[in-house]
Amino acid sequence: MIEKEIRAQVVNTAIQYLNCNEFDGTHKQIIDIYNNHKPLPRGYAVQYTDPWCATFVSAVAIILNLTDIMPIECGCGQMIQLYQNIGSWIEDDAYVPQSGDVVFYDWEDNGIGDCMGYPDHVGIVVEVTGTNIKVIEGNNSNAVCYRNLTVDAIYIRGYGILNYCSKINDVSGAYNNDNCLVYIVREGDTLLKIAEKYQMDYQKLASYNGIINPDFIKVGDRLQIPSNARKVTYTVKKGDTLFKIASQFNTSVDILVSLNQITQTSHIDFAYAP
């Protein structure tokens, strides 16, 4: 499964609860999903009368078993802290999100500079068209419904960006996209470090990605890694499966299949992500 498909799962799961609300009690199923997950964050069971925007986002994570990359909490402030702890927090209000990202709001934002206030609300990005962002939120007027806003709009506190690529290749932080590895820049990364990981010259990596200043990359950037990086030759042995070979080289079956043209079962040349 590629990253785009996992993001779509998150969005589609959230949409299944569209229009659930407090008035007819249909929001209770969302809170029940959260409360039935153990251990409860901070040991607190959410009440049906509590604000439940963060609970809604958490319920989606629980349903899809993504709690390792999509931290669960019933409080927005605590949820941001969890994203920060795993290096998945984007402080920049002007960040252009993707579907499946998590957006936080501060209703007391005055629109001057980067918002640093305490978060009041949270939702899941459904789609981004140009500078227009569509978000699905729980507890929006006591219901699950959509909100439309623009990039860098007032009240945006920041974003939690899920490490979706870890669900494809847990080791490398990269996923496959049209026969090219794509690496998502993380906290502490430099272009030199990433180039060394794939045994490339950092200037060539910069040129390949159209980066003018190699010293300037930011968390969340997506870098393409040429598919001919780090090739090895592996001879298939009796009892081998693609899964076993992928595990041996710390990559995924999807990457092996999409990066390699396997013409015979006894000999495979493939590029792999360490």
Side-chain angles (χ1 to χ4, degrees), residues 184-203:
I184 299 180
V185 177
R186 299 175 180 176
E187 191 73 34
D189 275 343
T190 65
L191 201 64
L192 179 60
K193 285 183 180 180
I194 298 169
E196 288 177 344
K197 177 187 287 287
Y198 295 100
Q199 297 185 356
M200 291 183 63
D201 179 83
Y202 81 96
Q203 292 178 324

Side-chain angles (χ1 to χ4, degrees), residues 213-229:
N213 183 356
D215 295 325
F216 183 72
I217 58 173
K218 61 183 185 297
V219 174
D221 282 349
R222 285 162 168 74
L223 303 180
Q224 292 191 350
I225 311 295
S227 60
N228 61 357

Side-chain angles (χ1 to χ4, degrees), residues 24-270:
D24 61 12
T26 49
H27 78 300
K28 293 180 180 179
Q29 60 184 310
I30 297 169
I31 295 174
D32 289 343
I33 291 170
Y34 180 89
N35 286 339
N36 288 332
H37 182 79
K38 300 297 186 286
L40 277 172
R42 294 183 288 146
Y44 180 75
V46 178
Q47 306 301 301
Y48 293 142
T49 54
D50 287 344
W52 47 281
C53 57
T55 303
F56 169 66
V57 173
S58 296
V60 172
I62 292 168
I63 292 169
L64 295 175
N65 195 29
L66 294 175
T67 57
D68 55 334
I69 64 169
M70 193 175 186
I72 62 172
E73 243 295 345
C74 60
C76 295
Q78 292 84 354
M79 186 177 280
I80 284 182
Q81 183 62 59
L82 293 174
Y83 275 105
Q84 291 172 335
N85 291 346
I86 62 174
S88 295
W89 173 249
I90 296 290
E91 186 64 51
D92 186 8
D93 301 354
Y95 169 74
V96 180
Q98 297 187 65
S99 63
D101 286 346
V102 178
V103 56
F104 293 80
Y105 309 91
D106 171 17
W107 300 137
E108 296 183 358
D109 181 22
N110 59 15
I112 301 175
D114 186 45
C115 177
M116 299 291 289
Y118 195 82
D120 302 298
H121 196 60
V122 62
I124 297 172
V125 176
V126 173
E127 62 183 12
V128 180
T129 306
T131 59
N132 297 312
I133 306 171
K134 184 177 183 179
V135 182
I136 188 167
E137 303 167 358
N139 201 33
N140 181 334
S141 299
N142 303 316
V144 177
C145 58
Y146 294 121
R147 181 188 306 274
N148 293 295
L149 62 156
T150 58
V151 173
D152 202 18
I154 189 173
Y155 305 130
I156 292 178
R157 175 63 181 83
Y159 293 89
I161 55 168
L162 282 62
N163 186 13
Y164 288 105
C165 61
S166 68
K167 293 303 177 182
I168 300 166
N169 186 340
D170 289 337
V171 177
S172 71
Y175 64 93
N176 181 258
N177 180 26
D178 297 331
N179 291 332
C180 180
L181 291 177
V182 178
Y183 184 90
I184 299 180
V185 177
R186 299 175 180 176
E187 191 73 34
D189 275 343
T190 65
L191 201 64
L192 179 60
K193 285 183 180 180
I194 298 169
E196 288 177 344
K197 177 187 287 287
Y198 295 100
Q199 297 185 356
M200 291 183 63
D201 179 83
Y202 81 96
Q203 292 178 324
K204 289 183 178 179
L205 181 59
S207 176
Y208 191 82
N209 286 275
I211 297 174
I212 298 175
N213 183 356
D215 295 325
F216 183 72
I217 58 173
K218 61 183 185 297
V219 174
D221 282 349
R222 285 162 168 74
L223 303 180
Q224 292 191 350
I225 311 295
S227 60
N228 61 357
R230 301 203 65 178
K231 285 193 174 182
V232 299
T233 299
Y234 180 84
T235 301
V236 177
K237 301 178 180 66
K238 184 176 181 179
D240 273 345
T241 65
L242 279 175
F243 177 78
K244 288 175 66 176
I245 298 170
S247 297
Q248 180 176 340
F249 290 97
N250 291 330
T251 187
S252 69
V253 172
D254 286 344
I255 288 179
L256 285 183
V257 169
S258 61
L259 281 181
N260 299 276
Q261 295 181 344
I262 301 174
T263 58
Q264 50 184 312
T265 58
S266 62
H267 196 78
I268 306 173
D269 288 328
F270 63 88

